[in-house]
Amino acid sequence: MIRTKSTVDIMKEIPSTWLFEYYCELTEKLCGQDLMILSPFNSRDKIPSMSIFFDKRGSKYRFCDHSGDKKGDGIDLVRYLFNLGNSEAVAKVVRDYEEFIEKYGESGFTGYKEYSRYKVTDFLKRKWNTLDKRYWSEYDITSKELEEDMIFPLESYMMEKDELGEHKQICIVNHNIYGFFREDGTMYKVYQPKIKDKKFIKIKSYIQGTDQLKFDKPYLVITSSMKDRRCLLNMNFNLESVAPDSENTMIKPGVMVLYKTKYKNVVTLFDNDEAGIKAMKRYEEEYQTSGVLLNLEKDLADSVKKYSSAKAKEMLYPLLCSALKPKRLEIA
C-alpha cells in the first residue's frame, strides 16, 4: 500500500473505538457505552476486571486494568500488549489500521455518540431475613454491626438513563442486595455479593467508614473493603479503620495528612493478590506507610470465613504489631 498521508494525519483519523475493538477483539462495537472485559494482561482473570470507558474530557475511549496497574488510552494499550515504546506502538497502530482499512474498507467508522449510563435513582429498604444472616454470619458479622456501619438490606433499587431521546428505567429486585449509606441518609454504593460481574454499583465517591471514625484510637488501618474493615474491627484491636472505594482508589494527600496527624501510625491491609500488593506498594511510595499482607486467603473476610475470626486474628496480630510498631497491640 502506497502511503499518501503522514503518520500524524493517519493517527488523527483512527477512532479510539477501533483501537479497543481491534486489539481487545471485542464482540460488540463501541458507541459510547462502557464495558468490563477479561484482562488481556492477566491470563488467570476469570471475572472481568478491565474497564473500557468513554472519557468525556478527552472525547475518546480509555481503559483501566483493575487486576494490575495498567491504564491509559489506546496507544498505551498497544504499548502494554506488545511491550513497545511509544513511537513503536504508534507505528504498529498505523500499520495495522492501514491493513484493516485496505481489507475491510472504512464502513462503520462514522464516529459515535456518548451514551449515558444508568444511574441509581431510587431504592426500597427491607427488613433483615434468614438469607442475610446466612451470608453475613459466614464472616462473623451481625445485622447490628452492619447497621452501625450504615449498611442496610434492599428490597429493590431503580436505575434510569436518557439515551437517544428515550428515557429508560429498570428495577432490580433480588436477594442479598445491600445499600451502603452515609449518616445523612444518602446511598453511595449498592452491594450485590451474589452477582459476580456486578458486585458493586458505585453511586458516589466516599472513603467508607469515615462517618464512624471517632479518632479515639492510636492507629488506623486502611483495608480493601467495608467487609474487611468490619472483620478487622470485630477482632477488637485498639485501632480504627477505613476503606476507599477500591484498592485502585488512592486516598487523597490532604486526607492522608489528616490521618497521620490524628493517629500514631497508619498502615494498609489489602488483598493477598497481585492488585493488592501493587496497591500496598503505591501507598508505601506515595505516603511512606507500611503494609500488612495476611497470607491466608485472598482477603481478611475470606480468611475469617475459611479459618474463623480467631484464627485470622492470631495470624494477623504479629503482622499488625510489626507494621504499626507497638511493642504490644492492646485490645480495645
Side-chain angles (χ1 to χ4, degrees):
M1 180 178 182
I2 300 175
R3 180 177 296 175
T4 59
K5 298 180 180 179
S6 68
T7 298
V8 174
D9 288 335
I10 295 174
M11 283 301 301
K12 289 179 180 178
E13 294 178 358
I14 301 176
S16 65
T17 50
W18 179 84
L19 286 164
F20 288 96
E21 290 168 358
Y22 183 78
Y23 291 108
C24 294
E25 300 181 355
L26 301 183
T27 57
E28 63 179 284
K29 292 188 68 63
L30 294 171
C31 51
Q33 81 277 32
D34 297 347
L35 292 180
M36 289 293 295
I37 66 171
L38 294 174
S39 171
F41 309 109
N42 183 0
S43 60
R44 295 175 296 176
D45 201 10
K46 296 182 179 179
I47 299 173
S49 65
M50 191 173 101
S51 60
I52 300 173
F53 60 93
F54 180 77
D55 180 13
K56 294 180 181 179
R57 293 170 297 180
S59 296
K60 64 179 180 180
Y61 269 92
R62 299 179 66 85
F63 78 96
C64 181
D65 178 27
H66 300 288
S67 70
D69 59 357
K70 296 179 176 63
K71 59 183 178 180
D73 59 15
I75 297 299
D76 294 315
L77 174 74
V78 175
R79 283 198 305 109
Y80 290 128
L81 282 175
F82 301 99
N83 193 27
L84 301 173
N86 191 73
S87 59
E88 294 173 313
V90 169
K92 177 174 177 56
V93 168
V94 169
R95 185 168 60 250
D96 291 346
Y97 183 72
E98 287 180 329
E99 292 177 358
F100 182 87
I101 293 300
E102 186 175 13
K103 184 175 181 179
Y104 297 105
E106 298 187 18
S107 60
F109 296 101
T110 56
Y112 54 89
K113 297 181 180 179
E114 179 189 349
Y115 280 37
S116 62
R117 306 181 193 179
Y118 275 106
K119 296 180 181 179
V120 176
T121 57
D122 202 2
F123 58 87
L124 179 63
K125 289 183 180 179
R126 60 170 172 80
K127 294 182 178 181
W128 298 98
N129 59 35
T130 54
L131 290 178
D132 302 319
K133 183 178 180 180
R134 186 182 305 164
Y135 173 73
W136 290 103
S137 63
E138 291 183 327
Y139 306 97
D140 286 339
I141 299 175
T142 67
S143 59
K144 181 180 179 181
E145 291 162 348
L146 290 166
E147 290 187 358
E148 289 175 358
D149 293 335
M150 300 301 293
I151 298 174
F152 299 94
L154 300 182
E155 179 73 29
S156 63
Y157 63 94
M158 181 73 70
M159 301 185 76
E160 303 182 33
K161 71 174 180 177
D162 292 308
E163 182 176 288
L164 301 179
E166 181 182 357
H167 184 71
K168 297 184 177 182
Q169 289 182 324
I170 54 174
C171 183
I172 309 298
V173 182
N174 210 333
H175 302 296
N176 295 109
I177 299 179
Y178 307 96
F180 288 18
F181 293 84
R182 297 289 308 271
E183 283 192 345
D184 61 8
T186 58
M187 186 167 69
Y188 64 87
K189 183 179 289 187
V190 174
Y191 178 44
Q192 307 172 122
K194 300 296 185 179
I195 304 177
K196 290 186 177 181
D197 60 341
K198 284 288 184 182
K199 280 189 177 182
F200 294 103
I201 297 178
K202 178 180 172 181
I203 302 171
K204 295 181 179 180
S205 295
Y206 173 61
I207 301 175
Q208 303 164 110
T210 298
D211 287 341
Q212 286 75 34
L213 290 179
K214 297 179 180 178
F215 302 105
D216 60 352
K217 301 289 192 297
Y219 308 109
L220 180 73
V221 177
I222 303 170
T223 63
S224 296
S225 69
M226 200 64 163
K227 190 162 62 177
D228 285 355
R229 172 188 170 276
R230 173 42 62 182
C231 286
L232 176 63
L233 294 180
N234 283 352
M235 294 176 181
N236 293 319
F237 294 125
N238 193 25
L239 51 79
E240 293 194 295
S241 181
V242 293
D245 286 325
S246 72
E247 291 172 336
N248 297 293
T249 302
M250 290 288 290
I251 294 176
K252 294 181 179 179
V255 178
M256 288 298 293
V257 169
L258 171 65
Y259 290 162
K260 289 193 170 185
T261 301
K262 292 287 187 179
Y263 299 98
K264 290 182 179 180
N265 208 342
V266 179
V267 302
T268 60
L269 173 58
F270 291 150
D271 289 359
N272 179 31
D273 60 10
E274 183 180 356
I277 293 170
K278 287 183 177 179
M280 178 182 70
K281 291 180 178 178
R282 285 200 295 271
Y283 273 84
E284 287 178 351
E285 294 170 0
E286 186 75 20
Y287 299 125
Q288 293 74 55
T289 58
S290 296
V292 175
L293 189 63
L294 180 63
N295 192 21
L296 287 176
E297 293 301 298
K298 178 177 177 291
D299 56 32
L300 178 59
D302 283 347
S303 298
V304 169
K305 179 179 178 180
K306 183 170 182 177
Y307 297 100
S308 81
S309 181
K311 177 63 176 178
K313 180 178 180 179
E314 177 187 346
M315 298 292 290
L316 184 59
Y317 178 80
L319 300 175
L320 284 174
C321 287
S322 176
L324 291 169
K325 296 182 172 60
K327 293 182 179 178
R328 185 174 184 275
L329 184 60
E330 295 180 358
I331 303 300

